[in-house]
Amino acid sequence: MDIDIRKLTVEELCNKVKEKTPVPGGGAVGAVVAALGAALNSMVANLTLGKKKYENYEGLMQEVLENMELVLEKTLRLASEDVKAFDKVMEAYKLPKEDPERELKMQEALKKAVETPFELVECARDILKYSEIVAKWGNQNAVSDAYSAAELARAACKIGEYNVIINLKSITDEEFKNKVLDEMYEVMGEAKVYYERIQELIKENGFTKI
């Protein structure tokens, strides 16, 4: 299925997701969620720039904008790539069982399918990093949007994790699986630190008692 997620309206995307087809599924949706988190970080940064009260943080806000623009572009690309990766896996599974290359092609497709959700986890980590920055030093009238960006990023991070793991379950290369898991959980550990610090800010500012 050749879908360019970027060209769909929100309604079209939702209608596509709800169809009786496996794609676009959680991976693509997670990438869109991450893109929205990056966009919210950018919004807060833009609402901070030019305000005298925050003039000491203009450089930081420019850094946020530059990095979130890269993440936004990447996550929207990942949304479509996730669909293509799944299609490749399905193509391999549909090969005749007597085909001597079937298992090899399946394993190659599965390994490729791991890449997209792994990159999503990395993007989510980066969004959380900049959510903390805009939450601390951005326009406080938009701080709830910084917190919202962090929650979207955390959701995207977990979605990426789930999709990495479901593909790893069918991969027979144990060395590859262990390497991916070690690297992913290192990134997720960094993401967790950012998220927990943001949660402290949220509680300190009286936004939640949970």
Side-chain angles (χ1 to χ4, degrees), residues 52-95:
K52 187 170 179 58
K53 181 178 178 182
Y54 302 102
E55 61 186 359
N56 290 338
Y57 307 114
E58 296 235 339
L60 262 181
M61 295 305 120
Q62 289 291 353
E63 181 185 337
V64 171
L65 290 174
E66 289 169 12
N67 282 275
M68 290 301 92
E69 191 60 35
L70 293 173
V71 170
L72 180 57
E73 173 59 31
K74 185 172 184 179
T75 48
L76 289 177
R77 175 173 54 77
L78 288 175
S80 295
E81 286 183 0
D82 186 79
V83 174
K84 292 174 184 174
F86 182 85
D87 285 343
K88 288 292 184 185
V89 172
M90 288 298 98
E91 283 176 22
Y93 272 105
K94 288 175 184 174
L95 289 171

Side-chain angles (χ1 to χ4, degrees), residues 13 16 40 55 193:
L13 176 59
K16 270 286 179 204
L40 277 175
E55 61 186 359
V193 171

